[in-house]
Amino acid sequence: RLTDIAEKLGISRQAANQIANQIEKAGYISRRADPADGRAKLIVTTARGRKLMEQGAIEALRLQNELGEIVGKQQLKTVMSLLTELNKRLGILHAYSNSSSNQPLPLAILLARLADFISSRLQQLTMEKSHHNLKRSFGQVLISIGPTGGRIQQIADKYDVSKQGISAISFELEELGYIKRYPDPTDARHVVLRFTEKGKQLLVDSVNSVDQLEAELINHLSAKKFKQLKNTITTIYRSLSLDEATLGRAQMEDLLARTRQLYRELGEEQAKTLGHMLVTGESIQ
């Protein structure tokens, strides 16, 4: 059912329906009456949809083999075993919990389930820090606002979504007090999105939530296994140059470590002052 899919994805039923409409229009799914409830509809895959899934599985295996060439087949196999263990301990592989096979699950399944869990858990941890109205859809806008601000059209292009959709999210964030719109100094027809003080605090709380989540994952897996898993994934991440457009991963890790050190040495108030100057370029008298 659409409501079940929306809940699993952590999005609204309306958003899930919009996505389903696009997939149905492409011929990959159809809707039929639910035999258990005449008022409800079930989402089912069509023959075209099943063919797409088969092709997706072939591509997933090809990509998995490519990653094996990067880190070594044996190391990738070890990591897949660790990911399987972590996923099962987190309770996010229900469909495989009774499987008697000791073979690692495909990497595409393991990473997709874990990525979804991480997004949901980080949202929950951050909401507990007085950010009660957070939505996962906010992430597209929040992580796209850099030191010089963010522009709606550029964010829409980055995620291949409509400008109207990003604009709607921006209005929500502005109403909640996390961002503010300013005239774009390079083009008077547009606006630049910048963080407010509340928005900057959200960033601080988000980083703390990442630290909390990492501690939770270590508790599930052990420090040694988690370090092995993290190191291998970091190697893959760097090799794919996923941060090429901004900072290299090594630079980002070094920057984060230095930031935490400064926070400890300066104290909260002075660290906030420094953060404001770095983000806005403004001096505080």
Side-chain angles (χ1 to χ4, degrees):
R1 292 186 181 183
L2 193 62
T3 50
D4 297 331
I5 294 173
E7 183 178 353
K8 185 176 182 181
L9 294 175
I11 61 178
S12 69
R13 188 183 186 283
Q14 290 75 15
N17 187 54
Q18 289 179 353
I19 297 170
N21 287 340
Q22 291 178 316
I23 301 174
E24 186 175 20
K25 186 177 180 180
Y28 297 120
I29 62 172
S30 62
R31 307 180 197 230
R32 70 183 184 196
D34 186 347
D37 185 350
R39 299 168 300 175
K41 295 283 187 179
L42 294 178
I43 304 291
V44 297
T45 52
T46 62
R48 178 177 168 84
R50 290 189 291 273
K51 181 65 175 177
L52 176 66
M53 294 170 66
E54 291 172 3
Q55 292 171 337
I58 292 172
E59 286 301 310
L61 181 59
R62 181 183 65 80
L63 289 170
Q64 182 173 303
N65 290 335
E66 285 185 9
L67 298 182
E69 294 298 323
I70 292 173
V71 298
K73 293 181 179 179
Q74 185 55 49
Q75 189 170 356
L76 183 65
K77 185 177 180 180
T78 299
V79 165
M80 289 169 64
S81 295
L82 292 174
L83 283 170
T84 300
E85 180 181 348
L86 179 58
N87 275 261
K88 288 186 175 181
R89 287 182 180 273
L90 292 170
I92 53 180
L93 284 179
H94 303 297
Y96 305 91
S97 59
N98 296 322
S99 174
S100 58
S101 174
N102 291 322
Q103 292 296 319
L105 294 168
L107 193 62
I109 291 178
L110 296 168
L111 290 179
R113 301 294 194 280
L114 186 59
D116 189 60
F117 169 82
I118 287 174
S119 295
S120 297
R121 184 59 180 149
L122 285 176
Q123 179 186 359
Q124 180 183 4
L125 289 170
T126 308
M127 288 175 69
E128 291 172 359
K129 298 175 176 62
S130 300
H131 303 287
H132 308 297
N133 297 309
L134 287 184
K135 298 179 182 178
R136 289 175 67 174
S137 60
F138 290 171
Q140 291 181 325
V141 173
L142 291 173
I143 66 174
S144 301
I145 300 177
T148 60
R151 291 163 177 79
I152 292 175
Q153 186 61 61
Q154 291 177 355
I155 298 172
D157 292 342
K158 176 181 177 181
Y159 291 101
D160 193 23
V161 297
S162 69
K163 180 181 177 181
Q164 291 76 12
I166 296 299
S167 183
I169 294 173
S170 300
F171 274 117
E172 281 193 83
L173 287 168
E174 190 169 24
E175 288 180 356
L176 292 171
Y178 291 116
I179 65 173
K180 191 175 175 72
R181 295 164 184 258
Y182 294 90
D184 188 338
T186 63
D187 189 338
R189 297 170 300 174
H190 300 291
V191 296
V192 176
L193 309 176
R194 299 188 189 277
F195 285 112
T196 62
E197 290 303 317
K198 183 179 180 180
K200 295 170 190 174
Q201 185 60 48
L202 173 62
L203 297 183
V204 173
D205 292 336
S206 297
V207 171
N208 290 335
S209 294
V210 171
D211 292 338
Q212 282 182 261
L213 177 59
E214 185 166 312
E216 291 179 2
L217 297 180
I218 290 173
N219 187 53
H220 281 290
L221 200 57
S222 84
K224 181 179 179 181
K225 290 181 177 179
F226 183 80
K227 183 178 180 180
Q228 183 180 13
L229 175 61
K230 184 176 180 180
N231 287 344
T232 303
I233 292 179
T234 298
T235 299
I236 293 173
Y237 192 90
R238 288 176 178 170
S239 71
L240 298 176
S241 302
L242 296 179
D243 282 326
E244 199 172 51
T246 50
L247 292 175
R249 183 62 180 175
Q251 290 175 290
M252 292 183 69
E253 290 177 348
D254 182 64
L255 180 60
L256 185 57
R258 290 173 182 271
T259 301
R260 288 171 177 156
Q261 181 181 356
L262 281 171
Y263 192 92
R264 290 193 297 268
E265 293 178 358
L266 295 175
E268 183 174 355
E269 290 303 317
Q270 291 188 36
K272 283 183 178 180
T273 300
L274 176 61
H276 176 86
M277 294 172 63
L278 291 173
V279 171
T280 65
E282 301 172 359
S283 298
I284 298 178
Q285 302 299 327

